Amino acid sequence: MNLSYWEYKTWLSNIDYTIVGSGIVGLNCALRLRERFPKAKILILEKGFLPQGASTKNAGFACFGSISEVLADLNQHSELEVIELVKKRWDGIKMLRANLGDQAIDFQIHGGHELFLDSGGELYDTCKNRLPEINKLLQPVYGKDAFHLGPNTFGFSKVKEKYITNIFEGQLDTGKMMNSLLQLVQKTSITVFNSIIVEDYSETKSGVVVKTDKFEFKTKNLLIATNGFASSLINEKVSPARAQVLITKPIQNLSIEGTFHFDEGYYYFRNIGSRILFGGGRNLDFKGEETNEPGCSEKIQKHLELLLKEVVLPKTPHNIDHRWSGIMGMGKQKNPILKKISDHVYCGVRLGGMGIAIGSAIGKDLADLVE
Ligand SMILES: Cc1cc2nc3c(=O)[nH]c(=O)nc-3n(C[C@H](O)[C@H](O)[C@H](O)COP(=O)(O)OP(=O)(O)OC[C@H]3O[C@@H](n4cnc5c(N)ncnc54)[C@H](O)[C@@H]3O)c2cc1C
């Protein structure tokens, strides 16, 4: 690339911290670094003209874990670990709201509801029976009973007569959240370069040489926040997982309000004003969706349309307005990978499906790894 002396000197020399990825983790990491090091030169490199992973593509659920998810987690983890997992999400949402303000992100609490399909076997009864036990277990986090049985007031079809609501769960405007974060970053003199792909890096005694698709430069520290794309740069076990969604056109007199999921979280929907956003279906083709290529598959989109018509809006005429996908970072374990990789290289990746709740904290913790 034909970079001038001035360009190198002004933007690509003496860089203290370079962050790869401008998702929720990368931006929060940058803000925390600025707080800790007011005079440092901080650079963010993002491969898309907008973030290309999950942070600007997601559904905007501010969730802590549905009752069936908590039960599934209890099969894998100790009670203490599950409490800790839920507490991290709870604290994370608090942090996000405090950092950006409810108005700026259009934060609303209408509850998070878990529906149970008629065809869903024993899960409904198990969740219902264990509801008091789970409420008691999570008292230290929520301070009162979080889960409640409620009637099917929104007229969903092919589901059990009641659903289980976490009264504390909320929803936000994903675009506003990311725009607010970006504006904060830009206000604090952090440079963001878009459309730059970090291809490789090599460590020296004093720092890291970073190779991008357009130029090479040196940085004292490299912080990797590339989530589902992580394995192309570092040797960590992160699998990409594409998630597809669709959104309807505005629907007259839509009464549905809140966030909802069913089929063990494989399907989720919410209202956005008078529209319904509906997503999921990765379980129809795990192998095909283990990709970091954007795109929508006919098989999954057709099934989303079918469930939208049969379960969510059985009596309401509606039209699809738009479809898209995003890339998540998953692994066998739920916890993100947050660690120092070598003397000058750090990573905070594998956020799974909970990045809104934990992304702010992981970004901050990533910045705090730096000595
Ligand atoms: C459709 C969908 C719905 C979701 N719904 C919810 C929800 O309702 N609630 C919730 O909590 N979570 C949800 N999630 C998950 C959540 O969005 C993620 O956990 C979170 O955004 C992860 O943030 P991140 O910063 O770690 O990663 P990302 O947002 O993926 O950011 C990583 C960034 O790194 C960039 N990058 C990658 N490689 C390179 C490279 N080599 N060079 C330069 N840049 C690079 C990418 O372009 C990307 O912008 C959803 C995800 C999807 C896809």
Side-chain angles (χ1 to χ4, degrees):
M1 203 186 197
N2 179 29
L3 287 174
S4 73
Y5 163 79
W6 309 112
E7 287 163 340
Y8 249 112
K9 181 168 163 268
T10 311
W11 288 284
L12 292 170
S13 302
N14 300 317
I15 294 168
D16 298 299
Y17 303 100
T18 299
I19 298 159
V20 192
S22 72
I24 187 168
V25 172
L27 296 181
N28 275 288
C29 173
L31 288 172
R32 174 64 178 160
L33 285 171
R34 171 58 74 229
E35 211 173 272
R36 288 186 63 200
F37 309 108
K39 297 209 170 110
K41 199 160 169 182
I42 304 171
L43 172 65
I44 302 178
L45 298 176
E46 165 56 53
K47 73 175 179 155
F49 81 98
L50 285 170
Q52 296 289 291
S55 295
T56 51
K57 315 279 191 195
N58 63 55
F61 287 33
C63 48
F64 312 113
S66 67
I67 189 148
S68 68
E69 197 179 352
V70 173
L71 288 176
D73 287 345
L74 281 170
N75 289 332
Q76 308 280 338
H77 303 271
S78 70
E79 288 192 350
L80 224 59
E81 283 170 341
V82 171
I83 295 171
E84 206 37 53
L85 208 65
V86 177
K87 186 167 181 330
K88 269 198 189 132
R89 299 167 186 160
W90 176 253
D91 291 344
I93 292 290
K94 260 201 217 157
M95 185 190 275
L96 177 74
R97 294 173 68 187
N99 286 348
L100 302 178
D102 284 356
Q103 214 183 341
I105 58 176
D106 200 6
F107 187 84
Q108 302 175 26
I109 297 181
H110 299 297
H113 313 275
E114 179 161 18
L115 314 179
F116 298 88
L117 291 173
D118 282 335
S119 56
E122 290 165 4
L123 188 65
Y124 175 60
D125 287 331
T126 311
C127 289
K128 234 174 35 170
N129 294 339
R130 295 188 64 184
L131 193 143
E133 169 201 334
I134 300 302
N135 272 334
K136 192 163 168 228
L137 179 80
L138 295 176
Q139 274 276 344
V141 180
Y142 294 119
K144 59 179 182 177
D145 287 357
F147 294 104
H148 297 261
L149 262 178
N152 180 7
T153 42
F154 297 122
F156 302 126
S157 182
K158 300 192 172 185
V159 296
K160 303 282 184 193
E161 77 278 11
K162 293 198 167 161
Y163 33 72
I164 299 182
T165 299
N166 181 329
I167 56 168
F168 294 109
E169 289 193 343
Q171 59 201 80
L172 52 77
D173 182 317
T174 294
K176 285 186 178 170
M177 172 188 75
M178 287 301 288
N179 198 32
S180 302
L181 269 175
L182 203 55
Q183 281 176 1
L184 276 186
V185 162
Q186 279 156 351
K187 248 193 229 162
T188 56
S189 303
I190 292 165
T191 305
V192 184
F193 286 156
N194 285 86
S195 304
I196 303 291
I197 301 173
V198 173
E199 291 180 335
D200 206 355
Y201 67 86
S202 56
E203 203 154 2
T204 64
K205 265 196 181 146
S206 56
V208 184
V209 178
V210 180
K211 183 174 175 292
T212 77
D213 61 335
K214 306 224 166 52
F215 49 78
E216 257 186 43
F217 68 102
K218 285 189 200 132
T219 180
K220 289 190 190 119
N221 296 283
L222 185 67
L223 298 104
I224 296 171
T226 54
N227 197 31
F229 305 87
S231 56
S232 71
L233 278 180
I234 53 177
N235 197 14
E236 296 292 338
K237 285 199 174 127
V238 185
S239 307
R242 188 167 68 182
Q244 302 183 29
V245 297
L246 55 76
I247 190 165
T248 66
K249 290 188 170 160
I251 297 168
Q252 265 197 348
N253 305 320
L254 183 79
S255 63
I256 298 171
E257 210 169 34
T259 61
F260 302 82
H261 27 94
F262 60 91
D263 206 0
E264 296 176 49
Y266 282 118
Y267 296 94
Y268 45 89
F269 61 96
R270 61 169 281 191
N271 75 300
I272 301 180
S274 61
R275 296 169 189 259
I276 293 289
L277 177 152
F278 186 45
R282 223 163 39 83
N283 52 336
L284 297 176
D285 184 12
F286 278 125
K287 200 85 210 101
E289 297 303 300
E290 196 179 321
T291 172
N292 53 27
E293 286 300 318
C296 289
S297 75
E298 197 179 329
K299 180 177 183 181
I300 289 178
Q301 289 291 325
K302 282 263 171 289
H303 201 64
L304 288 177
E305 281 183 39
L306 184 79
L307 289 174
L308 181 66
K309 193 167 167 211
E310 290 189 345
V311 176
V312 184
L313 296 167
K315 295 191 184 124
T316 310
H318 54 274
N319 293 299
I320 310 303
D321 193 15
H322 190 58
R323 307 165 199 270
W324 69 92
S325 68
I327 309 297
M328 302 187 289
M330 310 289 263
K332 282 211 176 94
Q333 285 167 327
K334 272 207 171 153
N335 285 337
I337 303 172
L338 178 71
K339 70 180 195 189
K340 181 170 180 169
I341 294 178
S342 55
D343 284 349
H344 307 280
V345 183
Y346 307 81
C347 77
V349 296
R350 199 175 70 187
L351 276 276
M354 282 282 175
I356 290 180
I358 58 172
S360 307
I362 297 299
K364 176 182 172 291
D365 293 349
L366 175 58
D368 284 343
L369 288 178
V370 176
E371 282 124 37

